[in-house]
Amino acid sequence: IVLVTGVQTCALPIFFHALRIYKFRCIHYDGVAANTPPDIQSSMAAILQVAQRSFSVKQQDQIIGRFQWPLFMVGIETTDGIHKEWIRTKLNARLSRAFERILEVQDKTGRRISMPLVRQIMCGEGTVLSAREHHLLPSTMIDGTVCLSQLAGG
């Protein structure tokens, strides 16, 4: 347990919940508008609850770094626009850029994207996927070479 200006933040459970979301997304990224199961919704709610209470403390700089990855995972899984916007404001510049890009692709395709593609976007690797790399997106959406900016931009 980490004590931050009177607010106790349970860091390990937050990362446990983020890992549950990560595992779910590793297994279930190819479903059309697949609903998020209750256990994953519960994990997202737990992360958001602790983060919102923690961010209400005036000295946010001390805690903001601890929530980057858990909030990012909630943000790419949630369908709630208010939560997405709140999370975007809490992410550092690099994660915020990746977050926006991932949401654009997911909105355009109507599907979760694979965690390998999430990692590729986070690392800022090329924007064009070759036919050999098409497995990183749902197979029904890809035919040959796909430019992510075209997917995201329309």
Side-chain angles (χ1 to χ4, degrees):
I1 295 181
V2 179
L3 186 61
V4 180
T5 62
V7 176
Q8 288 187 340
T9 305
C10 299
L12 290 178
I14 294 305
F15 281 92
F16 167 77
H17 289 296
L19 283 168
R20 286 177 77 191
I21 298 166
Y22 177 87
K23 179 184 174 196
F24 169 74
R25 288 186 64 91
C26 285
I27 297 169
H28 300 286
Y29 69 87
D30 202 12
V32 177
N35 292 328
T36 304
D39 60 327
I40 301 303
Q41 290 177 11
S42 175
S43 286
M44 294 186 329
I47 292 169
L48 287 170
Q49 183 179 39
V50 172
Q52 288 170 340
R53 278 190 284 170
S54 298
F55 283 118
S56 68
V57 175
K58 293 184 189 245
Q59 295 175 328
Q60 291 184 13
D61 293 342
Q62 296 176 1
I63 57 173
I64 199 164
R66 291 187 182 104
F67 287 92
Q68 293 293 292
W69 185 67
L71 284 176
F72 179 83
M73 291 306 300
V74 171
I76 64 172
E77 182 60 29
T78 188
T79 57
D80 186 310
I82 294 170
H83 286 152
K84 288 178 186 179
E85 180 58 27
W86 184 82
I87 289 167
R88 188 193 58 73
T89 67
K90 303 302 180 195
L91 296 176
N92 64 36
R94 184 180 68 85
L95 280 179
S96 184
R97 282 190 303 274
F99 180 70
E100 291 298 325
R101 180 118 187 182
I102 290 163
L103 293 183
E104 288 173 4
V105 173
Q106 289 183 159
D107 288 346
K108 180 70 175 177
T109 63
R111 299 168 186 259
R112 287 179 184 94
I113 63 172
S114 69
M115 290 312 295
L117 183 54
V118 168
R119 285 190 297 275
Q120 182 179 351
I121 291 170
M122 287 179 66
C123 293
E125 294 173 6
T127 59
V128 176
L129 296 178
S130 68
R132 185 178 57 115
E133 298 167 316
H134 77 280
H135 69 279
L136 296 174
L137 284 173
S139 58
T140 57
M141 299 302 294
I142 303 303
D143 182 22
T145 300
V146 173
C147 178
L148 292 180
S149 63
Q150 289 175 344
L151 271 177

